[in-house]
Tab-separated table of all heavy atoms in Angstrom:
chain	number	residue	atom	x	y	z
A	111	MET	N	-145.729	-22.035	-18.217
A	111	MET	CA	-144.669	-20.959	-18.639
A	111	MET	C	-145.067	-19.704	-17.918
A	111	MET	O	-146.186	-19.252	-17.815
A	111	MET	CB	-144.668	-20.807	-20.084
A	111	MET	CG	-143.551	-20.110	-20.651
A	111	MET	SD	-143.416	-20.276	-22.421
A	111	MET	CE	-144.235	-18.828	-23.077
A	112	ALA	N	-143.995	-19.013	-17.488
A	112	ALA	CA	-144.120	-17.735	-16.835
A	112	ALA	C	-144.599	-16.647	-17.829
A	112	ALA	O	-144.067	-16.518	-18.888
A	112	ALA	CB	-142.825	-17.249	-16.156
A	113	VAL	N	-145.578	-15.926	-17.418
A	113	VAL	CA	-146.117	-14.854	-18.221
A	113	VAL	C	-146.030	-13.545	-17.482
A	113	VAL	O	-146.473	-13.477	-16.334
A	113	VAL	CB	-147.552	-15.184	-18.617
A	113	VAL	CG1	-148.180	-14.008	-19.363
A	113	VAL	CG2	-147.589	-16.414	-19.601
A	114	PRO	N	-145.583	-12.455	-18.142
A	114	PRO	CA	-145.591	-11.181	-17.369
A	114	PRO	C	-146.942	-10.759	-16.989
A	114	PRO	O	-147.946	-10.791	-17.771
A	114	PRO	CB	-145.023	-10.179	-18.402
A	114	PRO	CG	-144.422	-10.967	-19.469
A	114	PRO	CD	-145.082	-12.355	-19.479
A	115	LYS	N	-147.099	-10.281	-15.720
A	115	LYS	CA	-148.390	-9.932	-15.204
A	115	LYS	C	-148.844	-8.526	-15.732
A	115	LYS	O	-150.042	-8.319	-15.945
A	115	LYS	CB	-148.320	-9.874	-13.654
A	115	LYS	CG	-149.633	-9.816	-13.004
A	115	LYS	CD	-149.510	-10.149	-11.544
A	115	LYS	CE	-150.928	-10.285	-10.865
A	115	LYS	NZ	-150.826	-10.696	-9.577
A	116	LYS	N	-147.800	-7.677	-15.841
A	116	LYS	CA	-148.113	-6.377	-16.324
A	116	LYS	C	-147.261	-6.060	-17.560
A	116	LYS	O	-146.078	-6.430	-17.611
A	116	LYS	CB	-147.806	-5.256	-15.219
A	116	LYS	CG	-148.699	-5.407	-14.070
A	116	LYS	CD	-149.933	-4.421	-14.263
A	116	LYS	CE	-151.057	-4.701	-13.277
A	116	LYS	NZ	-150.740	-4.649	-11.926
A	117	ARG	N	-147.828	-5.199	-18.401
A	117	ARG	CA	-147.073	-4.781	-19.631
A	117	ARG	C	-145.949	-3.800	-19.135
A	117	ARG	O	-146.133	-3.016	-18.321
A	117	ARG	CB	-147.959	-4.086	-20.536
A	117	ARG	CG	-147.356	-3.641	-21.831
A	117	ARG	CD	-148.303	-2.705	-22.584
A	117	ARG	NE	-147.608	-2.132	-23.817
A	117	ARG	CZ	-147.703	-2.670	-25.056
A	117	ARG	NH1	-148.579	-3.640	-25.247
A	117	ARG	NH2	-147.091	-2.031	-25.948
A	118	THR	N	-144.731	-4.001	-19.604
A	118	THR	CA	-143.657	-3.107	-19.332
A	118	THR	C	-143.809	-1.724	-20.020
A	118	THR	O	-144.053	-1.780	-21.223
A	118	THR	CB	-142.239	-3.754	-19.813
A	118	THR	OG1	-142.171	-4.944	-19.228
A	118	THR	CG2	-141.073	-2.833	-19.373
A	119	SER	N	-143.847	-0.728	-19.308
A	119	SER	CA	-144.066	0.562	-19.849
A	119	SER	C	-142.956	0.981	-20.793
A	119	SER	O	-141.804	0.483	-20.680
A	119	SER	CB	-144.154	1.598	-18.719
A	119	SER	OG	-142.889	1.878	-18.201
A	120	LYS	N	-143.142	1.915	-21.732
A	120	LYS	CA	-142.141	2.336	-22.546
A	120	LYS	C	-140.880	2.972	-21.847
A	120	LYS	O	-139.736	2.695	-22.286
A	120	LYS	CB	-142.664	3.387	-23.595
A	120	LYS	CG	-143.677	2.902	-24.554
A	120	LYS	CD	-144.290	4.064	-25.440
A	120	LYS	CE	-145.595	3.766	-25.922
A	120	LYS	NZ	-146.248	5.019	-26.435
A	121	ALA	N	-141.243	3.678	-20.845
A	121	ALA	CA	-140.139	4.329	-20.069
A	121	ALA	C	-139.194	3.169	-19.513
A	121	ALA	O	-138.001	3.277	-19.577
A	121	ALA	CB	-140.710	5.217	-18.976
A	122	ARG	N	-139.887	2.252	-18.858
A	122	ARG	CA	-139.119	1.151	-18.156
A	122	ARG	C	-138.313	0.423	-19.198
A	122	ARG	O	-137.143	0.078	-18.897
A	122	ARG	CB	-140.065	0.322	-17.313
A	122	ARG	CG	-139.371	-0.448	-16.301
A	122	ARG	CD	-140.341	-1.252	-15.434
A	122	ARG	NE	-139.664	-2.152	-14.495
A	122	ARG	CZ	-139.178	-1.749	-13.354
A	122	ARG	NH1	-139.362	-0.448	-12.960
A	122	ARG	NH2	-138.553	-2.529	-12.523
A	123	ARG	N	-138.963	-0.026	-20.274
A	123	ARG	CA	-138.325	-0.781	-21.288
A	123	ARG	C	-137.088	0.021	-21.867
A	123	ARG	O	-136.017	-0.549	-21.964
A	123	ARG	CB	-139.342	-1.046	-22.387
A	123	ARG	CG	-138.775	-1.757	-23.605
A	123	ARG	CD	-139.589	-1.510	-24.912
A	123	ARG	NE	-139.695	-0.058	-25.190
A	123	ARG	CZ	-140.572	0.439	-26.000
A	123	ARG	NH1	-141.428	-0.358	-26.636
A	123	ARG	NH2	-140.468	1.644	-26.291
A	124	ASP	N	-137.293	1.308	-22.101
A	124	ASP	CA	-136.265	2.066	-22.734
A	124	ASP	C	-135.094	2.358	-21.707
A	124	ASP	O	-133.989	2.387	-22.187
A	124	ASP	CB	-136.809	3.384	-23.217
A	124	ASP	CG	-137.736	3.124	-24.522
A	124	ASP	OD1	-137.750	2.029	-24.935
A	124	ASP	OD2	-138.440	4.155	-24.892
A	125	LYS	N	-135.417	2.479	-20.480
A	125	LYS	CA	-134.392	2.636	-19.491
A	125	LYS	C	-133.500	1.378	-19.391
A	125	LYS	O	-132.280	1.487	-19.294
A	125	LYS	CB	-134.992	2.943	-18.084
A	125	LYS	CG	-135.035	4.409	-17.726
A	125	LYS	CD	-135.440	4.624	-16.294
A	125	LYS	CE	-136.972	4.690	-16.199
A	125	LYS	NZ	-137.358	4.931	-14.755
A	126	ARG	N	-134.201	0.181	-19.461
A	126	ARG	CA	-133.416	-1.042	-19.446
A	126	ARG	C	-132.542	-1.086	-20.638
A	126	ARG	O	-131.311	-1.457	-20.534
A	126	ARG	CB	-134.406	-2.217	-19.432
A	126	ARG	CG	-133.723	-3.539	-19.416
A	126	ARG	CD	-134.767	-4.668	-19.351
A	126	ARG	NE	-135.513	-4.782	-20.501
A	126	ARG	CZ	-136.927	-4.806	-20.557
A	126	ARG	NH1	-137.573	-4.772	-19.437
A	126	ARG	NH2	-137.528	-4.951	-21.705
A	127	ARG	N	-132.987	-0.797	-21.820
A	127	ARG	CA	-132.238	-0.958	-23.011
A	127	ARG	C	-131.121	0.106	-22.942
A	127	ARG	O	-130.058	-0.156	-23.606
A	127	ARG	CB	-133.105	-0.812	-24.248
A	127	ARG	CG	-134.052	-2.024	-24.364
A	127	ARG	CD	-134.871	-1.952	-25.536
A	127	ARG	NE	-135.782	-3.017	-25.579
A	127	ARG	CZ	-136.897	-3.235	-26.383
A	127	ARG	NH1	-137.007	-2.276	-27.331
A	127	ARG	NH2	-137.656	-4.270	-26.300
A	128	ALA	N	-131.378	1.270	-22.400
A	128	ALA	CA	-130.267	2.274	-22.430
A	128	ALA	C	-129.156	1.946	-21.574
A	128	ALA	O	-127.943	2.208	-21.837
A	128	ALA	CB	-130.875	3.590	-21.884
A	129	GLN	N	-129.417	1.053	-20.484
A	129	GLN	CA	-128.400	0.590	-19.631
A	129	GLN	C	-127.470	-0.468	-20.307
A	129	GLN	O	-126.312	-0.550	-20.004
A	129	GLN	CB	-129.080	-0.083	-18.426
A	129	GLN	CG	-128.208	-0.280	-17.232
A	129	GLN	CD	-127.797	1.060	-16.604
A	129	GLN	OE1	-128.479	2.035	-16.772
A	129	GLN	NE2	-126.696	1.097	-15.894
A	130	HIS	N	-128.048	-1.119	-21.357
A	130	HIS	CA	-127.369	-2.182	-21.920
A	130	HIS	C	-125.991	-1.981	-22.444
A	130	HIS	O	-125.056	-2.701	-22.201
A	130	HIS	CB	-128.337	-2.838	-22.972
A	130	HIS	CG	-127.731	-4.160	-23.552
A	130	HIS	ND1	-127.039	-4.043	-24.788
A	130	HIS	CD2	-127.705	-5.392	-23.127
A	130	HIS	CE1	-126.634	-5.357	-25.080
A	130	HIS	NE2	-127.063	-6.140	-24.083
A	131	ASP	N	-125.876	-0.858	-23.239
A	131	ASP	CA	-124.630	-0.592	-23.930
A	131	ASP	C	-123.664	0.259	-23.096
A	131	ASP	O	-122.653	0.692	-23.504
A	131	ASP	CB	-124.914	0.047	-25.268
A	131	ASP	CG	-125.579	-0.958	-26.182
A	131	ASP	OD1	-125.217	-2.183	-26.100
A	131	ASP	OD2	-126.370	-0.597	-27.052
A	132	ARG	N	-124.209	0.639	-21.851
A	132	ARG	CA	-123.423	1.666	-21.155
A	132	ARG	C	-122.107	1.205	-20.575
A	132	ARG	O	-121.182	1.893	-20.445
A	132	ARG	CB	-124.355	2.279	-20.090
A	132	ARG	CG	-123.843	3.597	-19.583
A	132	ARG	CD	-124.673	4.097	-18.412
A	132	ARG	NE	-125.951	4.546	-19.000
A	132	ARG	CZ	-126.945	4.965	-18.158
A	132	ARG	NH1	-126.780	4.980	-16.847
A	132	ARG	NH2	-128.125	5.357	-18.655
A	133	ILE	N	-122.065	-0.020	-20.102
A	133	ILE	CA	-120.930	-0.529	-19.430
A	133	ILE	C	-119.804	-0.826	-20.476
A	133	ILE	O	-119.717	-1.881	-21.017
A	133	ILE	CB	-121.263	-1.824	-18.626
A	133	ILE	CG1	-122.342	-1.601	-17.710
A	133	ILE	CG2	-119.997	-2.314	-17.889
A	133	ILE	CD1	-123.129	-2.852	-17.265
A	134	ALA	N	-118.953	0.191	-20.695
A	134	ALA	CA	-117.982	0.060	-21.740
A	134	ALA	C	-116.574	0.317	-21.252
A	134	ALA	O	-115.647	-0.495	-21.457
A	134	ALA	CB	-118.305	1.110	-22.846
A	135	ALA	N	-116.281	1.432	-20.626
A	135	ALA	CA	-114.851	1.797	-20.463
A	135	ALA	C	-114.400	2.064	-19.050
A	135	ALA	O	-113.286	2.626	-18.800
A	135	ALA	CB	-114.652	3.077	-21.222
A	136	PRO	N	-115.107	1.773	-17.955
A	136	PRO	CA	-114.653	2.202	-16.616
A	136	PRO	C	-113.510	1.425	-16.099
A	136	PRO	O	-113.183	1.562	-14.975
A	136	PRO	CB	-115.882	1.973	-15.716
A	136	PRO	CG	-116.571	0.812	-16.386
A	136	PRO	CD	-116.297	0.851	-17.847
A	137	GLY	N	-112.790	0.646	-16.915
A	137	GLY	CA	-111.691	-0.146	-16.394
A	137	GLY	C	-110.346	0.565	-16.407
A	137	GLY	O	-109.303	0.081	-16.767
A	138	LEU	N	-110.435	1.873	-15.955
A	138	LEU	CA	-109.130	2.616	-15.939
A	138	LEU	C	-109.134	3.483	-14.621
A	138	LEU	O	-110.045	4.007	-14.123
A	138	LEU	CB	-109.130	3.635	-17.105
A	138	LEU	CG	-108.828	3.080	-18.477
A	138	LEU	CD1	-108.918	4.162	-19.572
A	138	LEU	CD2	-107.420	2.455	-18.571
A	139	VAL	N	-107.887	3.493	-14.074
A	139	VAL	CA	-107.638	4.400	-12.863
A	139	VAL	C	-106.368	5.156	-13.190
A	139	VAL	O	-105.608	4.767	-13.995
A	139	VAL	CB	-107.513	3.552	-11.593
A	139	VAL	CG1	-108.779	2.890	-11.250
A	139	VAL	CG2	-106.344	2.537	-11.699
A	140	ARG	N	-106.179	6.317	-12.396
A	140	ARG	CA	-104.984	7.066	-12.599
A	140	ARG	C	-103.831	6.492	-11.750
A	140	ARG	O	-104.079	6.140	-10.627
A	140	ARG	CB	-105.232	8.524	-12.130
A	140	ARG	CG	-105.816	9.386	-13.311
A	140	ARG	CD	-105.705	10.816	-12.937
A	140	ARG	NE	-106.230	11.660	-14.017
A	140	ARG	CZ	-105.492	11.959	-15.073
A	140	ARG	NH1	-104.359	11.553	-15.257
A	140	ARG	NH2	-105.996	12.735	-16.004
A	141	CYS	N	-102.701	6.477	-12.347
A	141	CYS	CA	-101.470	5.996	-11.575
A	141	CYS	C	-101.197	7.030	-10.520
A	141	CYS	O	-101.075	8.249	-10.849
A	141	CYS	CB	-100.348	5.798	-12.555
A	141	CYS	SG	-98.752	5.492	-11.738
A	142	PRO	N	-100.944	6.622	-9.282
A	142	PRO	CA	-100.521	7.627	-8.236
A	142	PRO	C	-99.145	8.174	-8.393
A	142	PRO	O	-98.870	9.222	-7.874
A	142	PRO	CB	-100.647	6.820	-6.968
A	142	PRO	CG	-100.467	5.351	-7.420
A	142	PRO	CD	-101.025	5.239	-8.778
A	143	ASN	N	-98.338	7.468	-9.199
A	143	ASN	CA	-97.031	7.943	-9.350
A	143	ASN	C	-96.800	8.932	-10.546
A	143	ASN	O	-96.246	9.949	-10.424
A	143	ASN	CB	-96.045	6.731	-9.574
A	143	ASN	CG	-94.619	7.094	-9.630
A	143	ASN	OD1	-94.065	7.778	-8.780
A	143	ASN	ND2	-94.017	6.694	-10.738
A	144	CYS	N	-97.339	8.543	-11.734
A	144	CYS	CA	-97.078	9.383	-12.917
A	144	CYS	C	-98.388	9.931	-13.482
A	144	CYS	O	-98.343	10.677	-14.468
A	144	CYS	CB	-96.412	8.498	-13.997
A	144	CYS	SG	-97.469	7.224	-14.708
A	145	ASP	N	-99.494	9.603	-12.840
A	145	ASP	CA	-100.812	10.216	-13.313
A	145	ASP	C	-101.277	9.724	-14.624
A	145	ASP	O	-102.224	10.283	-15.211
A	145	ASP	CB	-100.707	11.736	-13.306
A	145	ASP	CG	-101.783	12.267	-12.365
A	145	ASP	OD1	-102.186	11.617	-11.399
A	145	ASP	OD2	-102.242	13.369	-12.713
A	146	GLU	N	-100.718	8.621	-15.157
A	146	GLU	CA	-101.225	8.116	-16.438
A	146	GLU	C	-102.373	7.187	-16.059
A	146	GLU	O	-102.576	6.754	-15.027
A	146	GLU	CB	-100.151	7.230	-17.109
A	146	GLU	CG	-99.063	8.001	-17.829
A	146	GLU	CD	-99.694	8.786	-19.051
A	146	GLU	OE1	-100.466	8.215	-19.763
A	146	GLU	OE2	-99.265	9.879	-19.198
A	147	TRP	N	-103.245	6.898	-17.124
A	147	TRP	CA	-104.322	5.988	-16.971
A	147	TRP	C	-103.845	4.595	-17.110
A	147	TRP	O	-103.114	4.334	-18.137
A	147	TRP	CB	-105.456	6.366	-18.014
A	147	TRP	CG	-106.207	7.642	-17.702
A	147	TRP	CD1	-105.879	8.775	-18.347
A	147	TRP	CD2	-107.176	7.920	-16.800
A	147	TRP	NE1	-106.755	9.779	-17.796
A	147	TRP	CE2	-107.593	9.197	-16.820
A	147	TRP	CE3	-107.800	7.063	-15.833
A	147	TRP	CZ2	-108.521	9.770	-16.117
A	147	TRP	CZ3	-108.888	7.640	-15.032
A	147	TRP	CH2	-109.218	8.961	-15.175
A	148	HIS	N	-104.227	3.675	-16.321
A	148	HIS	CA	-103.911	2.296	-16.486
A	148	HIS	C	-105.055	1.459	-15.795
A	148	HIS	O	-105.916	1.921	-15.164
A	148	HIS	CB	-102.576	1.941	-15.880
A	148	HIS	CG	-102.571	2.137	-14.412
A	148	HIS	ND1	-102.759	1.050	-13.554
A	148	HIS	CD2	-102.339	3.255	-13.604
A	148	HIS	CE1	-102.620	1.486	-12.284
A	148	HIS	NE2	-102.389	2.793	-12.345
A	149	MET	N	-105.053	0.122	-16.138
A	149	MET	CA	-106.035	-0.766	-15.623
A	149	MET	C	-105.822	-1.025	-14.062
A	149	MET	O	-104.675	-1.111	-13.645
A	149	MET	CB	-105.962	-2.089	-16.344
A	149	MET	CG	-106.690	-2.173	-17.692
A	149	MET	SD	-106.186	-3.465	-18.712
A	149	MET	CE	-106.569	-4.865	-17.787
A	150	PRO	N	-106.863	-0.989	-13.368
A	150	PRO	CA	-106.776	-1.271	-11.924
A	150	PRO	C	-106.296	-2.606	-11.605
A	150	PRO	O	-106.467	-3.620	-12.253
A	150	PRO	CB	-108.211	-1.132	-11.369
A	150	PRO	CG	-109.090	-1.325	-12.549
A	150	PRO	CD	-108.291	-0.855	-13.735
A	151	HIS	N	-105.421	-2.714	-10.519
A	151	HIS	CA	-104.785	-4.040	-10.173
A	151	HIS	C	-103.712	-4.589	-11.142
A	151	HIS	O	-103.490	-5.673	-11.225
A	151	HIS	CB	-105.798	-5.089	-9.767
A	151	HIS	CG	-106.819	-4.593	-8.745
A	151	HIS	ND1	-108.180	-4.748	-8.925
A	151	HIS	CD2	-106.698	-3.925	-7.600
A	151	HIS	CE1	-108.805	-4.183	-7.866
A	151	HIS	NE2	-107.916	-3.653	-7.074
A	152	ARG	N	-103.278	-3.624	-12.022
A	152	ARG	CA	-102.177	-3.913	-12.854
A	152	ARG	C	-101.077	-2.896	-12.631
A	152	ARG	O	-101.383	-1.795	-12.249
A	152	ARG	CB	-102.611	-3.927	-14.337
A	152	ARG	CG	-103.710	-4.873	-14.655
A	152	ARG	CD	-103.276	-6.203	-14.712
A	152	ARG	NE	-104.252	-7.233	-15.214
A	152	ARG	CZ	-105.300	-7.686	-14.441
A	152	ARG	NH1	-105.300	-7.336	-13.127
A	152	ARG	NH2	-106.153	-8.467	-14.912
A	153	ILE	N	-99.803	-3.230	-12.951
A	153	ILE	CA	-98.755	-2.261	-12.809
A	153	ILE	C	-98.967	-1.281	-13.999
A	153	ILE	O	-99.555	-1.515	-15.037
A	153	ILE	CB	-97.358	-2.901	-12.936
A	153	ILE	CG1	-97.110	-3.521	-14.385
A	153	ILE	CG2	-97.162	-3.900	-11.839
A	153	ILE	CD1	-95.658	-3.819	-14.584
A	154	CYS	N	-98.522	-0.048	-13.686
A	154	CYS	CA	-98.644	1.062	-14.639
A	154	CYS	C	-97.711	0.838	-15.791
A	154	CYS	O	-96.541	0.648	-15.642
A	154	CYS	CB	-98.307	2.406	-13.996
A	154	CYS	SG	-98.326	3.746	-15.103
A	155	PRO	N	-98.168	0.789	-17.084
A	155	PRO	CA	-97.347	0.571	-18.223
A	155	PRO	C	-96.370	1.601	-18.525
A	155	PRO	O	-95.320	1.383	-19.175
A	155	PRO	CB	-98.322	0.382	-19.379
A	155	PRO	CG	-99.579	1.106	-18.909
A	155	PRO	CD	-99.585	1.010	-17.438
A	156	SER	N	-96.616	2.852	-18.017
A	156	SER	CA	-95.686	3.968	-18.392
A	156	SER	C	-94.524	4.080	-17.294
A	156	SER	O	-93.442	4.463	-17.621
A	156	SER	CB	-96.459	5.225	-18.609
A	156	SER	OG	-97.051	5.583	-17.394
A	157	CYS	N	-94.795	3.745	-16.044
A	157	CYS	CA	-93.736	3.957	-15.012
A	157	CYS	C	-93.367	2.579	-14.343
A	157	CYS	O	-92.351	2.483	-13.574
A	157	CYS	CB	-94.077	4.961	-14.055
A	157	CYS	SG	-95.415	4.612	-12.927
A	158	GLY	N	-94.178	1.594	-14.526
A	158	GLY	CA	-93.870	0.261	-13.905
A	158	GLY	C	-94.210	0.170	-12.405
A	158	GLY	O	-93.793	-0.705	-11.749
A	159	TYR	N	-94.963	1.174	-11.904
A	159	TYR	CA	-95.312	1.133	-10.467
A	159	TYR	C	-96.655	0.361	-10.200
A	159	TYR	O	-97.519	0.413	-11.025
A	159	TYR	CB	-95.550	2.573	-9.947
A	159	TYR	CG	-94.255	3.198	-9.322
A	159	TYR	CD1	-93.151	3.360	-10.187
A	159	TYR	CD2	-94.222	3.462	-8.010
A	159	TYR	CE1	-92.058	3.998	-9.615
A	159	TYR	CE2	-93.100	4.104	-7.454
A	159	TYR	CZ	-91.970	4.300	-8.246
A	159	TYR	OH	-90.905	4.846	-7.762
A	160	TYR	N	-96.681	-0.328	-9.077
A	160	TYR	CA	-97.944	-0.900	-8.606
A	160	TYR	C	-98.125	-0.335	-7.188
A	160	TYR	O	-97.359	-0.654	-6.302
A	160	TYR	CB	-97.921	-2.442	-8.644
A	160	TYR	CG	-99.240	-2.995	-8.218
A	160	TYR	CD1	-100.324	-3.051	-9.142
A	160	TYR	CD2	-99.445	-3.386	-6.877
A	160	TYR	CE1	-101.571	-3.650	-8.740
A	160	TYR	CE2	-100.667	-3.900	-6.529
A	160	TYR	CZ	-101.665	-3.990	-7.424
A	160	TYR	OH	-102.858	-4.530	-6.983
A	161	GLY	N	-99.220	0.455	-7.061
A	161	GLY	CA	-99.337	1.143	-5.765
A	161	GLY	C	-98.203	2.111	-5.611
A	161	GLY	O	-98.007	2.918	-6.544
A	162	ASP	N	-97.408	2.112	-4.538
A	162	ASP	CA	-96.283	2.970	-4.358
A	162	ASP	C	-94.970	2.336	-4.581
A	162	ASP	O	-93.934	2.887	-4.262
A	162	ASP	CB	-96.383	3.561	-2.920
A	162	ASP	CG	-96.393	2.567	-1.841
A	162	ASP	OD1	-96.442	1.393	-2.197
A	162	ASP	OD2	-96.457	2.921	-0.696
A	163	ARG	N	-94.978	1.090	-5.191
A	163	ARG	CA	-93.718	0.399	-5.353
A	163	ARG	C	-93.410	0.202	-6.796
A	163	ARG	O	-94.276	0.002	-7.649
A	163	ARG	CB	-93.829	-1.022	-4.729
A	163	ARG	CG	-93.698	-1.070	-3.171
A	163	ARG	CD	-94.084	-2.362	-2.672
A	163	ARG	NE	-95.324	-2.800	-3.063
A	163	ARG	CZ	-95.664	-4.102	-3.253
A	163	ARG	NH1	-94.755	-4.999	-3.021
A	163	ARG	NH2	-96.911	-4.377	-3.534
A	164	ARG	N	-92.164	0.315	-7.126
A	164	ARG	CA	-91.688	0.072	-8.560
A	164	ARG	C	-91.573	-1.377	-8.722
A	164	ARG	O	-90.741	-2.081	-7.987
A	164	ARG	CB	-90.371	0.779	-8.758
A	164	ARG	CG	-89.633	0.310	-9.966
A	164	ARG	CD	-89.707	1.138	-11.251
A	164	ARG	NE	-89.112	2.480	-11.045
A	164	ARG	CZ	-87.766	2.703	-11.245
A	164	ARG	NH1	-86.962	1.743	-11.404
A	164	ARG	NH2	-87.330	3.914	-11.215
A	165	ILE	N	-92.363	-1.978	-9.630
A	165	ILE	CA	-92.286	-3.370	-9.864
A	165	ILE	C	-91.403	-3.735	-11.044
A	165	ILE	O	-90.543	-4.692	-11.037
A	165	ILE	CB	-93.725	-3.994	-10.058
A	165	ILE	CG1	-94.635	-3.575	-9.000
A	165	ILE	CG2	-93.639	-5.425	-10.253
A	165	ILE	CD1	-94.400	-4.157	-7.618
A	166	GLU	N	-91.518	-2.981	-12.117
A	166	GLU	CA	-90.832	-3.279	-13.280
A	166	GLU	C	-90.046	-2.081	-13.829
A	166	GLU	O	-90.448	-0.948	-13.758
A	166	GLU	CB	-91.834	-3.659	-14.351
A	166	GLU	CG	-91.322	-4.455	-15.479
A	166	GLU	CD	-92.447	-5.004	-16.365
A	166	GLU	OE1	-93.088	-4.199	-17.052
A	166	GLU	OE2	-92.776	-6.164	-16.216
A	167	GLU	N	-88.819	-2.369	-14.308
A	167	GLU	CA	-87.984	-1.271	-14.890
A	167	GLU	C	-88.582	-0.831	-16.248
A	167	GLU	O	-88.860	-1.700	-17.035
A	167	GLU	CB	-86.522	-1.755	-15.090
A	167	GLU	CG	-85.805	-1.970	-13.747
A	167	GLU	CD	-85.547	-0.668	-13.001
A	167	GLU	OE1	-85.419	0.377	-13.654
A	167	GLU	OE2	-85.361	-0.779	-11.756
A	168	ILE	N	-88.626	0.390	-16.413
A	168	ILE	CA	-89.008	0.962	-17.730
A	168	ILE	C	-87.843	1.722	-18.334
A	168	ILE	O	-87.091	2.412	-17.662
A	168	ILE	CB	-90.228	1.965	-17.587
A	168	ILE	CG1	-91.390	1.323	-16.817
A	168	ILE	CG2	-90.652	2.515	-18.929
A	168	ILE	CD1	-92.149	0.191	-17.652
A	169	GLU	N	-87.616	1.469	-19.623
A	169	GLU	CA	-86.417	2.006	-20.407
A	169	GLU	C	-86.124	3.478	-20.100
A	169	GLU	O	-85.020	3.869	-19.752
A	169	GLU	CB	-86.577	1.786	-21.815
A	169	GLU	CG	-87.314	0.479	-22.234
A	169	GLU	CD	-86.373	-0.736	-22.073
A	169	GLU	OE1	-85.289	-0.647	-22.636
A	169	GLU	OE2	-86.806	-1.721	-21.504
A	170	SER	N	-87.197	4.286	-20.209
A	170	SER	CA	-87.084	5.728	-20.233
A	170	SER	C	-86.633	6.279	-18.862
A	170	SER	O	-86.433	7.443	-18.773
A	170	SER	CB	-88.322	6.401	-20.707
A	170	SER	OG	-89.376	6.025	-19.859
A	171	GLU	N	-86.613	5.418	-17.848
A	171	GLU	CA	-86.422	5.877	-16.513
A	171	GLU	C	-84.926	5.820	-15.996
A	171	GLU	O	-84.782	5.770	-14.753
A	171	GLU	CB	-87.402	5.338	-15.550
A	171	GLU	CG	-88.705	6.101	-15.389
A	171	GLU	CD	-89.378	5.836	-14.073
A	171	GLU	OE1	-89.999	4.619	-13.942
A	171	GLU	OE2	-89.169	6.535	-13.127
A	172	GLY	N	-83.990	5.644	-16.855
A	172	GLY	CA	-82.648	5.537	-16.391
A	172	GLY	C	-82.457	4.419	-15.406
A	172	GLY	O	-81.920	4.286	-14.448
B	448	ZN	ZN1	-97.359	5.271	-13.551
């Protein structure tokens, strides 16, 4: 069985554990059209644009 050669220092251990919960919310980008936040590689839910093209009609936009 593999056994650690050196004891992990408190700093290294705590840095590792601090990293663990950090990856939470970076799945948002700003819409280039209306500046709302939305998920990357998805159409914008507020204006219906994907990139610079209108993909889906949104009610409020006439
Ligand atoms: Zn938008």
